[in-house]
Short mmCIF file of all heavy atoms in Angstrom, two decimals:
data_model
loop_
_atom_site.label_atom_id
_atom_site.label_comp_id
_atom_site.label_asym_id
_atom_site.label_seq_id
_atom_site.Cartn_x
_atom_site.Cartn_y
_atom_site.Cartn_z
N THR A 173 12.77 65.86 83.45
CA THR A 173 12.92 64.77 84.39
C THR A 173 14.39 64.61 84.85
O THR A 173 14.68 63.75 85.66
CB THR A 173 12.44 63.42 83.78
OG1 THR A 173 13.18 63.24 82.57
CG2 THR A 173 11.00 63.49 83.50
N ALA A 174 15.25 65.40 84.22
CA ALA A 174 16.67 65.25 84.56
C ALA A 174 16.99 65.64 85.99
O ALA A 174 16.36 66.55 86.53
CB ALA A 174 17.49 66.12 83.60
N LYS A 175 17.78 64.85 86.62
CA LYS A 175 18.22 65.14 88.01
C LYS A 175 19.70 65.46 88.07
O LYS A 175 20.43 64.96 87.25
CB LYS A 175 17.88 63.89 88.83
CG LYS A 175 16.41 63.58 88.97
CD LYS A 175 16.14 62.40 89.90
CE LYS A 175 14.70 62.05 89.94
NZ LYS A 175 14.44 60.85 90.81
N PRO A 176 20.02 66.32 89.01
CA PRO A 176 21.47 66.59 89.11
C PRO A 176 22.25 65.33 89.44
O PRO A 176 21.80 64.50 90.22
CB PRO A 176 21.52 67.60 90.23
CG PRO A 176 20.24 67.44 91.01
CD PRO A 176 19.22 66.99 90.01
N VAL A 177 23.40 65.25 88.83
CA VAL A 177 24.27 64.06 89.03
C VAL A 177 25.01 64.26 90.34
O VAL A 177 25.72 65.23 90.53
CB VAL A 177 25.27 63.91 87.87
CG1 VAL A 177 26.20 62.71 88.11
CG2 VAL A 177 24.52 63.75 86.56
N VAL A 178 24.80 63.28 91.18
CA VAL A 178 25.44 63.33 92.50
C VAL A 178 26.65 62.44 92.45
O VAL A 178 26.50 61.20 92.15
CB VAL A 178 24.49 62.92 93.63
CG1 VAL A 178 25.25 62.86 94.96
CG2 VAL A 178 23.25 63.84 93.65
N PRO A 179 27.83 62.87 92.70
CA PRO A 179 29.07 62.01 92.61
C PRO A 179 28.95 60.92 93.64
O PRO A 179 28.50 61.09 94.77
CB PRO A 179 30.18 62.94 92.90
CG PRO A 179 29.60 64.13 93.64
CD PRO A 179 28.19 64.26 93.07
N THR A 180 29.35 59.72 93.23
CA THR A 180 29.32 58.57 94.13
C THR A 180 30.37 58.73 95.21
O THR A 180 31.55 59.02 94.90
CB THR A 180 29.62 57.22 93.33
OG1 THR A 180 28.63 57.15 92.32
CG2 THR A 180 29.52 56.10 94.25
N PRO A 181 29.96 58.64 96.48
CA PRO A 181 30.99 58.84 97.51
C PRO A 181 31.97 57.76 97.57
O PRO A 181 31.72 56.58 97.15
CB PRO A 181 30.15 58.88 98.80
CG PRO A 181 28.92 58.07 98.46
CD PRO A 181 28.65 58.35 97.01
N ASP A 182 33.14 58.07 97.97
CA ASP A 182 34.18 57.05 98.18
C ASP A 182 33.77 56.10 99.31
O ASP A 182 33.05 56.55 100.26
CB ASP A 182 35.52 57.77 98.54
CG ASP A 182 36.64 56.78 98.63
OD1 ASP A 182 37.19 56.44 97.53
OD2 ASP A 182 37.00 56.42 99.74
N PRO A 183 34.14 54.84 99.21
CA PRO A 183 33.71 53.91 100.24
C PRO A 183 34.12 54.36 101.68
O PRO A 183 33.40 54.15 102.56
CB PRO A 183 34.46 52.59 99.87
CG PRO A 183 34.60 52.72 98.37
CD PRO A 183 34.77 54.17 98.12
N SER A 184 35.27 55.01 101.73
CA SER A 184 35.67 55.45 103.05
C SER A 184 34.72 56.54 103.57
O SER A 184 34.46 56.65 104.78
CB SER A 184 37.09 55.98 102.97
OG SER A 184 37.22 57.09 102.07
N ASP A 185 34.22 57.46 102.65
CA ASP A 185 33.31 58.45 103.11
C ASP A 185 32.00 57.86 103.59
O ASP A 185 31.46 58.32 104.61
CB ASP A 185 33.01 59.41 101.90
CG ASP A 185 34.26 60.16 101.47
OD1 ASP A 185 35.21 60.28 102.27
OD2 ASP A 185 34.30 60.60 100.27
N SER A 186 31.49 56.87 102.84
CA SER A 186 30.32 56.22 103.27
C SER A 186 30.50 55.53 104.69
O SER A 186 29.63 55.58 105.51
CB SER A 186 29.88 55.12 102.30
OG SER A 186 29.64 55.70 101.03
N ALA A 187 31.68 54.90 104.83
CA ALA A 187 31.92 54.24 106.08
C ALA A 187 32.04 55.24 107.22
O ALA A 187 31.54 55.02 108.34
CB ALA A 187 33.26 53.44 105.99
N ILE A 188 32.65 56.39 106.93
CA ILE A 188 32.69 57.42 107.99
C ILE A 188 31.35 57.90 108.39
O ILE A 188 31.06 58.10 109.57
CB ILE A 188 33.57 58.61 107.47
CG1 ILE A 188 35.05 58.14 107.35
CG2 ILE A 188 33.54 59.77 108.44
CD1 ILE A 188 35.94 59.13 106.66
N ALA A 189 30.49 58.15 107.33
CA ALA A 189 29.13 58.65 107.67
C ALA A 189 28.35 57.66 108.45
O ALA A 189 27.48 58.01 109.26
CB ALA A 189 28.47 59.02 106.34
N ALA A 190 28.59 56.35 108.12
CA ALA A 190 27.75 55.32 108.72
C ALA A 190 28.32 54.77 110.07
O ALA A 190 27.71 53.94 110.72
CB ALA A 190 27.59 54.14 107.75
N ALA A 191 29.51 55.15 110.40
CA ALA A 191 30.16 54.55 111.57
C ALA A 191 29.75 55.31 112.83
O ALA A 191 30.11 56.49 113.02
CB ALA A 191 31.68 54.61 111.40
N PRO A 192 29.01 54.68 113.77
CA PRO A 192 28.69 55.31 115.04
C PRO A 192 29.98 55.49 115.85
O PRO A 192 30.90 54.68 115.80
CB PRO A 192 27.73 54.35 115.68
CG PRO A 192 27.21 53.44 114.58
CD PRO A 192 28.39 53.39 113.62
N GLN A 193 30.01 56.54 116.73
CA GLN A 193 31.20 56.80 117.50
C GLN A 193 31.35 55.88 118.69
O GLN A 193 32.44 55.70 119.21
CB GLN A 193 31.15 58.30 117.99
CG GLN A 193 31.15 59.26 116.84
CD GLN A 193 32.45 59.24 116.01
OE1 GLN A 193 33.55 59.06 116.58
NE2 GLN A 193 32.32 59.30 114.70
N ASP A 194 30.19 55.28 119.14
CA ASP A 194 30.30 54.41 120.33
C ASP A 194 30.40 52.95 120.01
O ASP A 194 30.24 52.13 120.87
CB ASP A 194 29.04 54.65 121.17
CG ASP A 194 27.72 54.38 120.44
OD1 ASP A 194 27.76 54.26 119.13
OD2 ASP A 194 26.68 54.17 121.04
#
Side-chain angles (χ1 to χ4, degrees):
T173 58
K175 296 181 180 179
V177 178
V178 179
T180 303
D182 186 79
S184 61
D185 296 337
S186 301
I188 292 171
Q193 297 297 319
D194 59 344

